[in-house]
């Protein structure tokens, strides 16, 4: 279930195991049969830590979703609420508890706060008069959740919005705490680099926390050589662009949540049971888990989509060749060996069938004219073509009332590539959007302006072209099949965030001081003292390990780019990626939207 | 080495010895005459309450506290009420029990800590006798009142008074009594003449000790052992009865031939005792009565007090302090005259070795032949622990070390740890420190507690030295001591805040895991708020600083510390606190200076208190946000008028914020709403709430072209979008006639390709074809392809000599396509490519 977490450079399964241990300990604190009442938002992330089987082993018999009113009946001794520390959830819990008291069978109540308990929430429970009803009030420190062998996410949906729009740094505090947990398990990270206000804040908190825990240091040889903290707002452009890697496109088109994707079932109907005619088409979407545990997926996920087809057909040949082997198997030994490989081969074959279907689904979209037009405009913006004028494509999209998020993504992109739009253009877009999609979107536009995504030009100087040239953000003729540069993930555009990581590794940020000054927030370097005797002696040719933390979200394409750097022959650095949330342009813009629920007039 | 056994006295099979601990440092003119004395076990402090020399109404008794070596720690006149009993708690606090039942607690240095009462009943009836006792639950007090009623408190730190049942026939105080702890219950054992009773929570049970000699008319003294397991009774016939404290077994009965009531009687045992005994003391006489019925007799030349210990009895007199104990078996084996025990031989061997005599070898051989060298070493190490004289300890340890050389795999730990323990013990037994702990007591007490005691005596340097020497982890050792030191330092009233703060930071600077907030809390308790704040500055954990700062009403500082910690929950906590503490104006002002707190509070209000949010924006004159606030609020209204009025407020705010765009947009919104209502009323449509775009679409679909035109003009909808709208609406209705009219109305701002496309979309190629000719040359190919006219597309592409377009056409060709056309296209492409 979790083996793929331990294959990477850093064994992230240690983190998962630590999290599982804490969970088991808490469950055992509540002796007897239990029912868990879930804050719905938590079920996804928890699924990555523990399956139902673990809960069952610890006498969890029922699971409910947290909602108002009376709790469903369950013949259990304990009711445990697994919740985020949010006031509105406290009110629901209080309602549950109060209505419970009227029934006769007494059940014990417990609360597990994820990821941290909060005085504010306990105060609210007290005000509601139910605080005393809880036997255990505990916290389950789940900050960084291992997603894959080289990927950690906090799955904190609103992190970007909170940090950059609402000035609420709660998620940064959790980030710092999470990094402390990580350091407790994997040793102190000797070097911290960062760029951006939030990065600075997190680094400060980490250094402070380290002082606070002075004396209780763990004697662990550091696994990470350095940590790179990056604010999302130093690179607003990348998430806006359409990702062109396989995994990125799956996310763009269908959306990946907590490692799962839901796909339209039609394509998968036939192969359900081979040979049998499927009687009726399944109507439930097909749910698939996507991670490196699946060999084929690990191979193709980070490829540019244009390279996926050939990879799949190559794989198909290998698999059918492997099945052909059976004709060559003559002796009993050979047959036995063939049979023993059969399950693996069958798994590979069904995996191939699945991904062929997915690739077909996606191909239908990428070959459409709309997709092509959209991409053309994106690339024009990224290369700086006519970013200071009203763009006809955007205009047409609005006129035809294309999805608002698509329009916003493009407009934001133009704004970012032009370092803000000319006031006239800016007002024009806004007016068009308000007239077409409704005046209520003024609040959303306001948010986008505040976060710097869609804003009027304040200085006459547009420094994006300088940044683009210095950091080589645009590479003509990017090789999509056999890439030699990270720009392949966007078929030409090299994500700025990853470029920064790349330059940091070699030749260092000193070479790009000018550009760094153009990006918002400070850049810095901190060193953390290691206890004597824990200094790592690097073997000749041994790679450095860098943890790159994206504050405010990261896209699959950026992850692919970092993985590409890890795999480069002479790269010298391997990357582990951590983030507050895995995002794409759509989910990102969505998180910034304000939609007042309008009463019908 | 014969002198070692000089003070040994045989008792049955065993020996008893008296060790000199100290010549007392105090100068008591009359010894313990007219003194009330209390000495704490484990070598604890001694308290004396001396009655004034010449009784007069103004004279006060003097309360004095000394170390076990007689060094004065405190001395002050007793100004409170008449005292019935003194005692010590397990943590070295002095308990003074007054006749009125008030119990006062003082620390080692005579500083008053607190007081409590043993109940209202006592105030009337007075305390007749009181006893302080120790149990696993802490320190307890038992009293008997003038009304012959017992009251118990098992733990003075968690005071629960228990009044015990009445004892039948008891008048005044019982003859003697003692407190027992059995089966996790505290009971009183009392004698009233010859009758013995056990008094527990609910009942009073008469009991008879098995085999108590019948001559006795009265039990005059009771002694319970240190472990509460054994009991001794002294009768007026001069007999000592010894047995188990549950009164089930009798151990022995000894006749002392002394019939007068003893002053004190205590058990003298040690763990794995061979010959337990009871020590009985009269004014001049001192008897050790063994289980074997033998007796050792000492004469006393001064008045003394006995203190029962885990492994013996300490005898404190006006000039001397001694320890009486059964000689431990290891010492007995080694030092007994003519002993052939392995340890004795090893000691001898080593002695010869030191003299460079070959006899050393002989002795060693003898031990090795019996293969008891390991045991010999063990014995020497163990015996060293029991010896009080450093010289004797050294001799034994050297012998052990010598013996160890001839052993290959003897574990080193016992030897090493004994050396360490002894070094610590010798240091604290020092006259200046005055804690005469024995090795077993030290082990029982644990190092942690010892450090606590040293800290309590303010012997900080010694405590730190010991921690360092024993390599205690900093957290539990040095840092803890330093913290206590600092807590004590902050109470020095005469020193200015500045210098104390500096001294503390200099000393504590490098120690790990110091909680400055605890030290600061102490300073605050002493009323030194300024100092507390200075000290808090050193606390690395901002989170820890907050609660104390709030307590000290330094809420502003608490807020900035909470912010510094990054813990938003903590910030919320302080903000909530401030909100309740301050008036609204001050509260808002405070927030205004702390942007982080302000934005968190805004978040809170957004979800919880919308109204407050408005006030906040008002306070900041943030008209833009106020505008947004009204816009948001307007959507919650289901009545049009209410919504419009809120929107008008928004417009006003936006205007104040000089945000023309937002003001205009909101005005437009209002205008649209009004328009929609009018049309809805007039035409029975349902437009209200739709966007402008959708309104237009609906109007066009419903053939209200006039109204649509009006909106188009009023809202200055760009031509392009209006054309798109109309085009879509007409094509959706398949109103081809109207569409054609529209196309001809004037030159299309969006070109004519969209016309072709919408027709194709509606599967009307016939209509589509009408517009193909109007399409600009750049889009011609696309238009032809859209209607499936390959020839036309080819024609257009070739005409434009565009390689890309030709390729597009080629891509659409199928095997059934006309050969000639294909060739033409291919030829044209290669020509185009050449250019």
């Amino acid at each position: 279930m979790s083996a793929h977490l331990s294959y990477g450079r850093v064994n992230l399964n240690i983190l998962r195991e630590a999290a599982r241990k804490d969970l088991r300990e808490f469950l055992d604190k509540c002796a007897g049969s239990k029912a868990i009442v879930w804050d719905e938002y938590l079920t996804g992330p928890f699924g990555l830590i523990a399956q139902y089987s673990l809960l069952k082993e610890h006498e969890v018999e029922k699971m409910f979703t947290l909602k108002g009113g009376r709790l469903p009946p369950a013949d259990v001794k304990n009711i445990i609420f697994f919740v985020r520390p949010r006031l509105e959830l406290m009110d629901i819990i209080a309602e549950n508890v109060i209505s419970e008291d009227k029934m006769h069978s007494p059940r014990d109540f417990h609360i597990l706060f994820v990821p941290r308990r909060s005085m504010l929430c306990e105060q609210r429970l007290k005000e509601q008069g139910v605080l005393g009803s809880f036997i255990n009030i505990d916290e389950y420190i789940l900050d960084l959740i291992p997603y894959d062998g080289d990927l950690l996410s906090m799955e904190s949906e609103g992190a970007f919005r909170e940090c950059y729009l609402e000035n609420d740094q709660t998620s940064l505090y959790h980030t710092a705490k999470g990094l402390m947990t990580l350091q407790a398990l994997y040793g102190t990270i000797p070097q911290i680099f960062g760029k951006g206000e939030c990065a600075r804040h997190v680094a400060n908190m980490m250094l402070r926390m380290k002082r606070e825990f002075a004396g209780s240091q763990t004697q662990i040889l550091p696994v990470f050589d350095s940590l790179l903290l990056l604010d999302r707002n130093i690179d607003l452009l990348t998430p806006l662009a359409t990702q062109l890697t396989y995994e990125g496109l799956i996310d763009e088109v269908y959306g990946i949540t907590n490692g799962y994707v839901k796909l339209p079932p039609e394509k998968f109907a036939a192969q359900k049971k081979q040979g049998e005619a499927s009687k009726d088409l399944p109507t439930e979407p097909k749910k698939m888990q996507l991670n490196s545990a699946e060999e084929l997926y690990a191979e193709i996920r980070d490829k540019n989509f244009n390279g996926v087809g050939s990879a799949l057909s190559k794989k198909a040949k290998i698999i059918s060749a492997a099945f052909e082997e059976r004709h060559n198997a003559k002796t009993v030994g050979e047959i036995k060996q063939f049979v023993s490989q059969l399950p693996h081969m069958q798994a590979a074959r069904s995996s191939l069938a699945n991904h062929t279907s997915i690739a077909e689904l996606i191909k239908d979209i990428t070959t459409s004219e709309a997709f092509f037009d959209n991409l053309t405009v994106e690339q024009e913006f990224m290369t700086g073509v006519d970013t200071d004028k009203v763009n006809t494509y955007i205009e047409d999209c609005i006129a035809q009332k294309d999805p608002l998020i698509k329009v916003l993504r493009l407009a934001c992109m133009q704004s970012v590539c032009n370092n803000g739009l000319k006031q006239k253009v800016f007002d024009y877009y806004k007016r068009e959007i308000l007239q077409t999609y409704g005046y209520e979107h003024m609040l959303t536009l306001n948010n986008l302006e505040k976060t710097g995504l869609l804003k009027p030009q304040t200085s006459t100087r547009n420094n994006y072209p300088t940044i683009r040239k210095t950091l080589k953000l645009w590479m003509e003729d990017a090789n999509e099949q056999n890439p030699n540069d990270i720009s392949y993930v966007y078929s030409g555009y090299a994500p700025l965030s990853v470029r920064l990581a790349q330059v940091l590794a070699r030749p260092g940020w000193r070479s790009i001081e000018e550009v760094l000054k153009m990006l918002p927030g400070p850049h810095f370097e901190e060193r953390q003292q290691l206890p004597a005797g824990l200094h790592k002696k690097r073997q000749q040719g041994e790679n450095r390990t860098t943890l790159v933390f994206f504050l405010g979200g990261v896209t699959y394409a950026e992850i692919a780019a970092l993985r590409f750097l890890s795999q480069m022959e002479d790269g010298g650095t391997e990357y582990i990626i951590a983030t507050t949330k895995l995002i794409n342009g759509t989910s990102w813009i969505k998180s910034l939207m304000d939609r007042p629920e309008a009463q019908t007039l | 080495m014969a002198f070692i056994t000089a003070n040994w006295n045989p008792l049955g099979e065993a020996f008893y010895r008296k060790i000199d601990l100290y010549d007392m440092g105090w100068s008591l003119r009359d010894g313990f005459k007219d003194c009330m004395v209390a000495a704490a076990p484990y070598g604890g402090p001694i308290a004396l309450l001396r009655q004034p020399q010449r009784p007069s109404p103004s004279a006060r008794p003097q309360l004095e506290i000394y170390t076990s070596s007689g060094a004065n720690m405190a001395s002050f006149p007793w100004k409170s009420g008449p005292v019935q009993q003194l005692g010590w708690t397990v943590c070295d606090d002095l308990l003074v029990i007054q006749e009125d039942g008030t119990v006062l607690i003082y620390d080692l240095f005579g500083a008053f800590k607190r007081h409590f009462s043993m109940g209202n009943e006592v105030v009337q009836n007075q305390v007749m006798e009181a006893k302080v006792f120790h149990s696993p639950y802490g320190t307890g007090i038992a009293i008997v009142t003038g009304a012959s009623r017992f009251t118990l408190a098992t733990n003075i730190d968690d005071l629960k008074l228990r009044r015990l049942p009445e004892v039948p026939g008891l008048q005044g105080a019982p003859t003697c009594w003692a407190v027992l702890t059995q089966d996790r219950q505290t009971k009183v054992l009392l004698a009233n003449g010859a009758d013995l009773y056990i008094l527990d929570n609910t009942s009073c049970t008469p009991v008879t000790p098995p085999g108590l000699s019948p001559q006795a008319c009265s039990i005059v003294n009771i002694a319970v052992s240190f472990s509460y397991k054994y009991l001794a009774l002294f009768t007026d016939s001069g007999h000592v009865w010894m047995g188990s404290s549950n009164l089930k077994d009798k151990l022995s009965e000894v006749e002392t031939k002394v019939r007068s009531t003893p002053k004190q009687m205590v058990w003298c045992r040690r763990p794995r005792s061979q010959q337990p005994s009871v020590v009985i003391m009269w004014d001049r006489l001192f008897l050790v009565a063994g289980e074997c019925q033998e007796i050792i007799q000492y004469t006393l030349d001064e008045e003394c007090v006995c203190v029962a210990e885990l492994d013996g009895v300490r005898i404190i007199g006006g000039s001397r302090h001694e320890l009486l104990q059964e000689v431990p078996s290891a010492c007995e084996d080694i030092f007994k005259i003519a002993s052939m025990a392995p340890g004795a031989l090893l000691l001898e061997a080593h002695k010869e070795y030191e003299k460079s005599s070959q006899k050393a070898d002989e002795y060693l051989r003898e031990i090795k032949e019996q293969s008891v060298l390991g045991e010999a070493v063990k014995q020497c190490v163990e015996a060293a622990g029991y010896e009080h004289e450093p010289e004797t300890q050294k001799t034994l340890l050297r012998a052990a070390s010598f013996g160890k050389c001839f052993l290959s795999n003897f574990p080193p730990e016992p030897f090493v740890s004994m050396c360490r323990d002894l070094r610590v013990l010798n240091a604290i037994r020092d006259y200046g420190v005055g804690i005469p702990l024995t090795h077993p007591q030290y082990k029982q007490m644990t190092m942690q507690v010892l450090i606590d005691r040293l800290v309590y005596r303010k012997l900080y340097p010694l405590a730190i030295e010991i921690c360092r020497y024993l390599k205690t982890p900093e957290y539990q050792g040095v840092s803890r001591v330093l913290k206590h030191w600092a807590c004590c330092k902050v109470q020095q009233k005469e020193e200015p805040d500045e210098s104390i703060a500096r001294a503390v930071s200099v000393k504590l600077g490098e120690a790990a895991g110091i909680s400055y907030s605890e030290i600061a809390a102490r300073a605050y308790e002493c009323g030194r708020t300024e100092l507390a704040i200075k000290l808090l500055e050193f606390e690395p954990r901002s989170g820890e600083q907050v609660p104390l700062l709030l307590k000290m009403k330094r809420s502003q500082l608490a807020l900035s510390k909470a912010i510094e910690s990054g813990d938003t929950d903590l910030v919320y906590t302080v903000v909530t606190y401030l909100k309740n503490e301050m008036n609204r104006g001050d509260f808002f002002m405070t927030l205004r200076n702390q942007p982080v707190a302000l934005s968190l509070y805004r978040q809170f209000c957004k979800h919880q208190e919308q109204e407050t949010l408005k006030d906040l924006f008002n306070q900041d004159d943030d008209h833009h946000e106020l505008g947004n606030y009204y816009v948001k609020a307007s959507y919650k209204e289901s009545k049009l008028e209410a919504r419009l009025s809120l929107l008008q407020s928004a417009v006003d705010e936006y205007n104040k914020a000089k945000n023309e765009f937002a003001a205009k947009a909101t005005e437009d919104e209002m205008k649209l709403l009004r328009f929609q209502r009018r049309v809805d009323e007039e035409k029975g449509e349902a437009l209200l709430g739709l966007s402008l775009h959708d309104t237009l679409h609906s109007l066009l679909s419903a053939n209200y072209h006039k109204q649509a035109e009006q909106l188009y003009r009023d809202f200055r909808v760009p031509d392009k979008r209006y054309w798109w709208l109309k085009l879509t609406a007409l094509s959706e209705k398949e109103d081809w006639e109207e569409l054609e009219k529209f196309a001809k109305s004037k030159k299309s701002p969006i070109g004519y390709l969209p016309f072709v496309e919408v027709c194709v979309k509606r599967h009307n190629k016939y209509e589509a074809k009408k517009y193909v000719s109007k399409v600009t040359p750049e889009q011609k190919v696309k238009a032809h392809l859209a209607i499936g006219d390959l020839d036309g597309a080819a024609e257009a592409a070739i005409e434009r000599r565009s390689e890309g377009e030709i390729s597009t056409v080629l891509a659409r060709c199928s095997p059934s396509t006309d050969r000639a056309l294909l060739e033409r296209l291919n030829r044209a492409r290669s020509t185009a490519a050449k250019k």
Side-chain angles (χ1 to χ4, degrees), chain B residues 387-619:
Chain B
E387 288 303 324
H388 206 70
E389 281 304 316
E391 272 315 311
T392 320
Q393 295 164 359
K394 278 186 204 163
T395 315
L396 287 163
L397 287 172
R398 279 198 198 105
S401 161
F402 173 68
K404 245 156 48 81
C405 300
F406 302 95
L407 284 166
S408 52
N409 45 20
F410 188 83
E413 292 85 16
F415 180 79
V416 173
S417 65
M418 182 57 81
C419 290
R420 285 206 183 121
D421 289 351
L422 282 176
R423 192 141 179 220
V424 171
L425 284 175
N426 289 337
I428 57 160
R429 283 169 188 165
D430 182 86
Y431 184 85
V433 180
I435 304 179
L437 277 187
T438 64
H439 192 253
Q441 288 167 15
Y442 168 64
K443 284 290 161 196
Q444 177 73 25
M445 178 190 232
T446 73
M447 210 275 295
Q448 287 293 330
V449 177
L450 176 62
I451 298 295
D452 283 344
R453 297 220 159 168
L454 291 176
V455 163
Y456 201 41
R457 284 168 166 75
K458 300 188 183 167
L459 298 169
Y460 304 109
L462 179 63
I464 288 179
E465 275 312 307
I466 290 177
C467 290
R468 291 211 174 111
Y469 177 66
L470 294 176
K471 296 197 172 64
T472 321
E474 247 190 11
Y475 251 95
Q476 304 157 11
V478 176
S479 296
R480 207 161 54 101
V481 178
L482 283 173
K483 188 194 80 188
H484 283 287
W485 168 79
C487 284
C488 166
K489 183 83 184 166
V490 297
Q491 296 173 38
Q492 294 178 351
K493 299 227 160 47
E494 63 282 6
E495 260 193 82
D497 292 349
E498 197 58 53
S499 72
I500 289 183
R502 205 179 320 114
V504 168
S505 81
V506 165
K507 266 247 159 70
L508 273 58
E510 274 153 38
I514 293 266
S515 166
Y516 281 93
S517 50
E518 271 181 62
I519 303 167
R522 181 62 62 88
Y524 174 62
E525 278 167 29
C526 306
R528 304 186 74 162
T529 312
E530 285 311 312
L531 177 59
I533 292 168
K534 280 203 174 73
L535 288 168
L536 270 183
E537 284 295 315
F538 299 120
E539 172 66 60
R541 289 165 294 181
S542 326
E544 297 286 310
Q545 306 172 356
V546 173
L548 183 61
L549 285 170
L550 282 183
K551 215 159 108 190
M552 298 193 297
K553 303 254 181 286
R554 291 296 198 276
S555 36
Q556 307 268 0
L557 197 54
L559 186 58
S560 32
K561 289 293 171 189
I563 291 168
E564 207 176 280
S565 78
D567 183 348
T568 43
D569 187 50
L570 203 57
V571 179
Y572 272 129
T573 310
V574 180
V575 168
T576 323
Y577 178 90
L578 292 179
K579 195 175 140 200
N580 297 332
E581 285 289 300
M582 296 176 153
N583 67 47
R584 210 170 164 88
D586 291 349
F587 175 56
F588 281 0
M589 273 318 278
T590 308
L591 287 184
R592 209 173 167 175
N593 298 327
Q594 295 285 7
V596 175
L598 180 60
S599 26
L600 283 175
Y601 186 61
R602 271 194 199 136
Q603 283 296 101
F604 171 83
C605 292
K606 208 179 264 175
H607 297 290
Q608 305 286 334
E609 293 175 17
Q610 288 281 344
E611 275 302 305
T612 317
L613 194 61
K614 197 171 85 184
D615 298 347
L616 273 172
F617 293 140
N618 254 325
Q619 146 107 9

Side-chain angles (χ1 to χ4, degrees), chain B residues 92 117 126 135 169 194 214 236 297 452 595 598 613 647 715 831:
Chain B
D92 279 355
S117 164
Q126 303 280 299
S135 73
D236 58 354
Q297 193 170 325
D452 283 344
L598 180 60
L613 194 61
L647 286 174
F715 286 84
T831 332

Side-chain angles (χ1 to χ4, degrees), chain A residues 87 118-119 124 166-167 170 173 208 212 392 395 399 401 431-432 435-436 439-440 446 450 599, chain B residues 540-542 564 568-569 599 603 608 624-625 628 635-636 643 691 693-694 715-716 718 720-721:
Chain A
L87 288 176
S118 123
M119 292 187 249
R124 173 56 66 98
E166 288 158 350
N167 197 18
T170 309
Y173 179 69
R208 161 177 284 282
E212 292 181 9
T392 20
E395 226 177 354
K401 212 182 174 195
R431 214 166 68 93
E432 287 292 280
Q435 287 195 354
T436 306
Y439 288 99
E440 68 267 30
N446 216 349
K450 258 196 196 166
Q599 290 283 328
Chain B
R541 289 165 294 181
S542 326
E564 207 176 280
T568 43
D569 187 50
S599 26
Q603 283 296 101
Q608 305 286 334
H624 182 70
E625 282 299 336
N628 289 344
Y635 287 101
K636 295 216 176 77
R643 186 178 285 189
S691 75
H693 188 94
D694 294 342
F715 286 84
R716 290 190 295 132
K720 271 181 166 179
R721 190 149 56 81

Side-chain angles (χ1 to χ4, degrees), chain B residues 22 77 104 136 144 174 179 201 212 219 240 300 345 395 477 524 529 545 570 585 589 664:
Chain B
Y22 300 109
L104 298 99
V144 56
V179 182
N201 280 352
L212 181 68
I219 297 167
V240 185
L300 293 176
L345 291 176
T395 315
Y524 174 62
T529 312
Q545 306 172 356
L570 203 57
M589 273 318 278
K664 180 77 181 37

Side-chain angles (χ1 to χ4, degrees), chain A residues 177-188:
Chain A
K177 281 277 184 187
L179 283 166
M180 296 313 285
T181 313
L182 210 63
Q183 290 187 89
L185 291 171
Y186 298 98
T188 303

Side-chain angles (χ1 to χ4, degrees), chain A residues 28-42:
Chain A
D28 289 340
K29 243 193 229 174
C30 319
S33 57
K34 350 181 165 4
I36 295 179
V37 183
W38 287 97
D39 171 353
E40 208 167 11
Y41 182 81
L42 289 175

